[in-house]
Amino acid sequence: MVRKLRKSLIWYVFVAPTFILFGLFVAYPTLETFRLSFFQEVATRQEFVGALHYLRLLGNQVFLAALVNTAFLGILFLLIIIPLGFVMASLLNNLRVWPNLFKAIYFLPQITSTVAVALVFSYVFQPNWGLVNGLLRQLGVEPLPLWLAEPRYVLTGSRAAVTILAVWVALGYYMLIFQAGLQAVPAELYDAAVVDGAGPLQTWWLITLPSMRPTFVFLYITGTIEAMSRFSDLWMLGGPAGTPARSLQTIVMYIYQTAFESNDFNLASSAAVILFVVVLLLTMINFRSFLQREFSSQSGG
Amino acid sequence: MKSQIRGAFVWAVLCSIVLASCAPSAPATPQTVVETQIIVQTQQVEVLVTAEAPPVSGEVNVLLIGKPDEDSIDPVTGKNIPGIQQLETMFETAYPSIDMQITNIPWGSGATGYGPKTESMIQAQEACIYLMPGAFQYGRRGYLENLDPWIANDPTFEDVWPGDYLEQWRGWGPGNPDNQWALPYSGGNRVIHYDAVLFEQWGVEPLSQHPTLDEIEEKAKAMTGINPVTGEQNYGYWYQGKYINWQFQAIAHALGATWGEVNDDGTWTVNWDTPEYLQALEWLVMMSQYAPPGALAAEAMPEGFLTDQNVVAIIPEGETGYYLTPFVNDPKLNERFRTTYNLQGPDGKGGLFIADPVAMAASCPNKEAAWEVMKWLTMSPESQKYNFDSGGNLPVIDGAAEAIPELAALVDADAILNQNAFAEIRYPWASSQPRFSLQAAIEAAIAGTMTPKQALEQAQKETEDWLAQQVATPTP
């Protein structure tokens, strides 16, 4: 046993730095967040208050509205990015001239600072002299949309503007993952389809789409998690209050505002734990719903 | 032999711990320089010897925000911008026995802003003196030293600040409802600008030095439309959507509104849904029609501000960060973009108080030296001038403008230098839920998704729900 352990010791040494960093910067803060959520700061002491903060949050309209708005923005984003990413990846997959150049161009927003992107989009959507309204003015559109100054649920409102931003940023990444999936579909399936006389649409519908299922599920699940933790771009565009009229407020913005603007770290920790539970539940439901077949085929076979 | 050495070492450590814990703790009140007269009698001569208590000494860690790390040159004006080490050198020349160690962090934004860094430093007891815009919050939580005893016991301390500057930093704390949490350090203000060229083109009389709501309304209305000289679309009024709350408070206070009060137990009573606030919101919604479309999403001055492309006549809530350095660098600018005092209420006060204070951590191990550092940072003309030279901050002490000729030469120096002395007392809720509830309500009213009455009712309800969840902090 000792000999076995000594033999594998070197491998533990290799993983130790990662493990220590994970423990220090992920596991410890996570556990500390759970602990803080059950306490209340009284002067400089922390006093145990049980589930008080959770009860406060569940009756807090601002928190619940932020949760709903986060979900709404997330659903809107996924409804656009997944089909669009797939269509664009399919088109790019058939491109024979400089495909890598286009991949790099589409991927660029992904590696651009969120703050810079948000700043640029605040100019793009500026109602009075922004790029989009400038073009619309040239086309004779009247009255011009207000974009980031419009809190209503309309196609030219603040939610639409930030969704366009998010799609623009994420499109390259989604296309890349879809492309990897497309290139993994066995060529024999397409050859067999041609032999069977299937048209391009039938091939796409009956071979490509089903073969891409794991990729769709992966992007859907990771996209859900990302959408629920959206913060930086909305903070830049909406400011601390999620302007206009909280239409850009998300749950992470609420957490940040509570912790670092209002200095209520205990309440913010409780909100973070609730977000953790919501994301965990969503992920579990998604896994069970979409990967049920994979689970059952693995256990059966 | 080894075990004997080890034993001796353990004993030495134990003894030093015991001695350290038995040693008298640092006095809670400041030690001022004491002059003692000792008369030494010799055979024939009487000698008078004056002895002074040794000067305070030691290391004092200071957290400052947004100062330049190194000396540099302004790429536009060519002026020298002094780095933070110059401040350190100035202090240590004046106080050679104290070692001031400055940690300089950027203001930043969001998750990388100064807020989380300040929180980490104060919890880890990393510094004694903090440049701390949120001093009230930290005072409430018991992290700060009440400066009242230090002020009372220091004969060299003077109230060198104009108006209510010092009182602005009094606040509630655990066990004491009225504490001096900080001293004013660097200044700013919120003033009203107007474009004198646009006023002239429209044939409208310039704004008075203390404009009223009626005057602003009348003139803004007159200057919204196609400019008779340039043929451009002009707007009479401006509002900063994302921070509209501060402008709204100034308007409401001009109409006699007051937000509420701090209760004896540290909780607040907040009244948003009052006739005065309703009148103010209705006025603001009405005025929004004279502002450029999309101002609701704005977080600063209108596009073209301080340039010939400006199309907005009256621009409230001008902040020093936007205008002061350009005015100093190009005196012609402040001939076109004139400055008046902010709106004033029946009590002669009005506008958001803008000043960043310096506070002392309650955990500071070297408070005597820290107090000297604090006094020098806040009260000395050298430190105030450094603030101006390094970042364009307004000085906060009386007479500092005389030391900075560029400021004294401004066309509207009176309003620029004195507005802050007439500002409203700081709002303790400025970073808390009541602010964000009111902000959302104002935005909804301007966007037209709610009536002003509905908006204020919603803000009041949200605020009351939040206040009901706040527990009074017991006396420790």
Side-chain angles (χ1 to χ4, degrees):
Chain A
M1 176 69 184
V2 175
R3 217 174 128 191
K4 215 173 174 183
L5 194 70
R6 197 173 292 165
K7 232 177 164 182
S8 56
L9 192 65
I10 187 70
W11 304 112
Y12 286 107
V13 172
F14 276 123
V15 297
T18 312
F19 190 76
I20 291 167
L21 288 176
F22 175 83
L24 207 60
F25 294 113
V26 179
Y28 168 68
T30 307
L31 292 174
E32 182 65 7
T33 303
F34 273 88
R35 190 191 69 82
L36 279 175
S37 72
F38 293 105
F39 284 79
Q40 168 77 46
E41 190 179 68
V42 179
T44 51
R45 302 188 310 275
Q46 293 280 343
E47 284 183 2
F48 183 76
V49 291
L52 176 72
H53 299 304
Y54 292 98
L55 295 173
R56 282 173 65 185
L57 283 172
L58 293 175
N60 183 334
Q61 290 305 313
V62 180
F63 171 77
L64 296 174
L67 198 60
V68 170
N69 203 43
T70 312
F72 179 80
L73 289 173
I75 291 167
L76 203 59
F77 168 71
L78 289 173
L79 279 178
I80 296 172
I81 192 74
I82 289 183
L84 186 66
F86 182 58
V87 170
M88 294 292 285
S90 301
L91 291 173
L92 202 63
N93 206 33
N94 293 321
L95 200 67
R96 295 290 167 259
V97 185
W98 297 337
N100 288 337
L101 176 71
F102 283 96
K103 275 185 216 168
I105 290 172
Y106 279 112
F107 199 74
L108 272 179
Q110 188 71 32
I111 53 169
T112 309
S113 147
T114 312
V115 174
V117 170
L119 205 63
V120 169
F121 269 74
S122 70
Y123 293 130
V124 169
F125 287 113
Q126 211 288 333
N128 216 22
W129 43 265
L131 187 70
V132 175
N133 275 10
L135 287 172
L136 293 176
R137 194 179 285 120
Q138 297 290 320
L139 295 170
V141 175
E142 273 297 332
L144 289 166
L146 290 172
W147 297 111
L148 292 166
E150 173 60 86
R152 293 176 183 81
Y153 288 89
V154 290
L155 284 174
T156 53
S158 53
R159 291 180 181 88
V162 297
T163 303
I164 293 171
L165 177 154
V167 168
W168 182 79
V169 169
L171 188 61
Y173 170 76
Y174 276 71
M175 281 170 65
L176 210 67
I177 302 291
F178 273 127
Q179 259 216 315
L182 285 169
Q183 285 165 5
V185 181
E188 303 86 60
L189 293 178
Y190 291 111
D191 294 341
V194 172
V195 171
D196 289 346
L201 199 64
Q202 278 177 308
T203 312
W204 185 78
W205 183 254
L206 295 169
I207 294 175
T208 309
L209 268 184
S211 307
M212 293 293 289
R213 195 169 179 278
T215 313
F216 276 108
V217 172
F218 168 75
L219 286 175
Y220 172 66
I221 291 173
T222 53
T224 306
I225 295 169
E226 271 175 38
M228 290 306 291
S229 54
R230 197 167 169 192
F231 172 69
S232 304
D233 55 339
L234 298 184
W235 181 269
M236 287 296 297
L237 292 171
T243 304
R246 293 202 183 114
S247 60
L248 300 185
Q249 182 149 38
T250 63
I251 188 72
V252 179
M253 279 171 75
Y254 176 84
I255 292 169
Y256 182 86
Q257 188 197 88
T258 308
F260 296 112
E261 297 268 336
S262 307
N263 290 107
D264 194 341
F265 289 92
N266 302 101
L267 188 66
S269 299
S270 313
V273 170
I274 290 180
L275 174 65
F276 173 81
V277 171
V278 168
V279 171
L280 186 70
L281 284 176
L282 278 174
T283 310
M284 282 168 66
I285 292 166
N286 289 338
F287 251 85
R288 283 290 153 193
S289 318
F290 295 109
L291 296 178
Q292 190 66 46
R293 201 168 60 192
E294 280 76 0
F295 279 126
S296 50
S297 66
Q298 271 179 10
S299 56
Chain B
M1 182 65 187
K2 263 186 186 175
S3 63
Q4 281 174 335
I5 293 170
R6 202 178 301 146
F9 177 73
V10 170
W11 271 110
V13 170
L14 282 174
C15 286
S16 54
I17 292 169
V18 171
L19 284 172
S21 58
C22 293
S25 55
T29 52
Q31 291 286 300
T32 53
V33 175
V34 180
E35 285 195 350
T36 313
Q37 288 188 330
I38 302 168
I39 298 169
V40 181
Q41 285 186 335
T42 60
Q43 282 178 334
Q44 289 174 342
V45 189
E46 193 176 86
V47 181
L48 189 70
V49 178
T50 300
E52 286 187 357
V56 287
S57 60
E59 188 179 294
V60 176
N61 290 320
V62 179
L63 174 76
L64 293 181
I65 312 171
K67 304 293 175 201
D69 286 324
E70 303 286 343
D71 291 349
S72 58
I73 294 171
D74 187 310
V76 178
T77 63
K79 282 184 180 172
N80 289 322
I81 300 171
I84 194 71
Q85 77 286 354
Q86 291 207 23
L87 185 72
E88 232 175 276
T89 308
M90 274 191 278
F91 173 79
E92 286 173 8
T93 307
Y95 291 82
S97 60
I98 300 174
D99 179 14
M100 179 165 78
Q101 294 287 332
I102 298 175
T103 303
N104 184 34
I105 61 171
W107 286 104
S109 170
T112 56
Y114 71 91
K117 291 169 187 164
T118 305
E119 180 72 28
S120 307
M121 285 193 69
I122 202 155
Q123 287 216 19
Q125 303 180 4
E126 284 286 325
C128 270
I129 303 294
Y130 289 81
L131 174 56
M132 189 177 261
F136 275 128
Q137 298 280 1
Y138 288 100
R140 283 179 70 83
R141 294 164 65 198
Y143 281 104
L144 299 185
E145 177 82 0
N146 177 14
L147 301 175
D148 279 333
W150 294 87
I151 292 170
N153 291 307
D154 187 345
T156 66
F157 181 86
E158 285 176 66
D159 182 353
V160 294
W161 301 275
D164 293 334
Y165 264 81
L166 197 56
E167 285 71 30
Q168 290 279 6
W169 296 104
R170 299 199 71 82
W172 189 92
N176 184 1
D178 188 29
N179 304 267
Q180 184 72 43
W181 285 136
L183 301 179
Y185 171 58
S186 68
N189 59 35
R190 291 282 182 119
V191 291
I192 299 175
H193 294 298
Y194 67 94
D195 185 333
V197 171
L198 293 186
F199 270 67
E200 199 181 326
Q201 288 168 345
W202 282 93
V204 174
E205 280 289 301
L207 278 187
S208 57
Q209 205 180 20
H210 292 279
T212 61
L213 290 174
D214 288 341
E215 183 188 354
I216 289 174
E217 181 184 336
E218 182 197 325
K219 290 176 178 173
K221 193 177 174 182
M223 290 182 284
T224 302
I226 302 298
N227 185 305
V229 177
T230 64
E232 283 182 324
Q233 170 69 42
N234 281 181
Y235 300 94
Y237 193 64
W238 175 251
Y239 62 95
Q240 292 182 36
K242 283 184 195 168
Y243 300 96
I244 187 67
N245 187 33
W246 311 128
Q247 191 167 342
F248 177 66
Q249 290 297 332
I251 296 164
H253 192 67
L255 290 165
T258 49
W259 64 267
E261 61 185 351
V262 179
N263 304 319
D264 288 342
D265 60 1
T267 57
W268 308 321
T269 302
V270 179
N271 305 311
W272 297 142
D273 189 14
T274 65
E276 293 84 8
Y277 274 114
L278 180 60
Q279 196 186 347
L281 190 50
E282 284 169 345
W283 188 86
L284 183 58
V285 170
M286 181 269 296
M287 289 299 287
S288 66
Q289 65 183 309
Y290 304 128
L296 190 56
E299 60 180 14
M301 300 285 94
E303 182 65 13
F305 178 61
L306 302 185
T307 72
D308 290 339
Q309 278 76 51
N310 179 54
V311 292
V312 182
I314 300 172
I315 305 162
E317 299 299 297
E319 293 177 58
T320 39
Y322 297 125
Y323 71 83
L324 191 62
T325 306
F327 277 11
V328 168
N329 293 338
D330 182 2
K332 277 188 182 168
L333 270 183
N334 67 122
E335 286 168 13
R336 172 167 182 167
F337 292 93
R338 300 293 304 275
T339 306
T340 74
Y341 283 89
N342 211 324
L343 296 164
Q344 289 181 347
D347 57 357
K349 304 271 178 196
L352 186 68
F353 176 75
I354 305 282
D356 290 326
V358 162
M360 190 195 296
S363 61
C364 175
N366 190 8
K367 287 180 181 161
E368 286 79 15
W371 174 241
E372 295 303 323
V373 171
M374 209 171 174
K375 282 195 299 178
W376 185 84
L377 282 173
T378 56
M379 295 163 65
S380 74
E382 304 97 288
S383 163
Q384 294 291 306
K385 184 163 186 328
Y386 175 82
N387 266 344
F388 176 74
D389 291 340
S390 63
N393 294 116
L394 272 184
V396 288
I397 61 175
D398 260 332
E402 282 83 66
I404 305 170
E406 299 99 309
L407 290 179
L410 292 174
V411 176
D412 296 306
D414 180 40
I416 291 171
L417 293 170
N418 297 318
Q419 161 56 35
N420 229 19
F422 292 95
E424 263 202 275
I425 291 292
R426 279 184 75 95
Y427 315 122
W429 45 264
S431 303
S432 301
Q433 189 58 49
R435 167 191 163 183
F436 298 111
S437 293
L438 185 63
Q439 171 80 27
I442 301 166
E443 291 170 5
I446 292 176
T449 56
M450 281 184 188
T451 65
K453 180 67 182 157
Q454 286 170 335
L456 288 178
E457 280 171 359
Q458 179 186 292
Q460 185 69 40
K461 185 182 179 312
E462 274 181 20
T463 301
E464 278 175 8
D465 289 349
W466 183 82
L467 288 170
Q469 292 175 341
Q470 302 306 297
V471 284
T473 307
T475 305

